[in-house]
Amino acid sequence: MEWIKTTECLPTLGIDVLVLIKREKKKSKPAEMHIRVGQRLSERNIWIIGDDFGYNLGKVTHWMPLPEIPVDDKT
């Protein structure tokens, strides 16, 4: 799977996806990148990341669908 830029395409509203979040650098620290599970909540590009709204965590720059859940043949 490839990361998809949020400037090129956005996921369906309310669907869990992996998101790449960029936190802007503070003072002398470089920008930080984090991977989380989140979902887009509105057409205005508002996200919820885990249990928090995305604007508290940084800017969502990329996303990708979650991988398929493995099926265990022994269940």
Side-chain angles (χ1 to χ4, degrees):
M1 280 187 264
E2 298 285 327
W3 288 103
I4 302 165
K5 292 181 182 181
T6 55
T7 56
E8 295 177 2
C9 180
L10 291 170
T12 303
L13 294 176
I15 302 296
D16 285 339
V17 294
L18 287 179
V19 294
L20 187 62
I21 302 166
K22 181 178 181 181
R23 286 189 178 166
E24 295 302 321
K25 59 183 176 181
K26 295 182 179 179
K27 297 184 183 176
S28 62
K29 294 183 180 180
E32 299 174 350
M33 302 299 282
H34 300 274
I35 296 174
R36 300 283 189 269
V37 173
Q39 58 180 252
R40 190 169 64 105
L41 293 181
S42 80
E43 295 296 334
R44 295 185 331 187
N45 204 16
I46 296 172
W47 294 77
I48 188 164
I49 312 299
D51 294 332
D52 294 313
F53 285 102
Y55 62 82
N56 291 329
L57 301 173
K59 179 181 179 184
V60 176
T61 62
H62 296 75
W63 67 277
M64 74 167 60
L66 292 174
E68 293 291 323
I69 296 173
V71 178
D72 185 3
D73 295 336
K74 297 177 184 176
T75 56

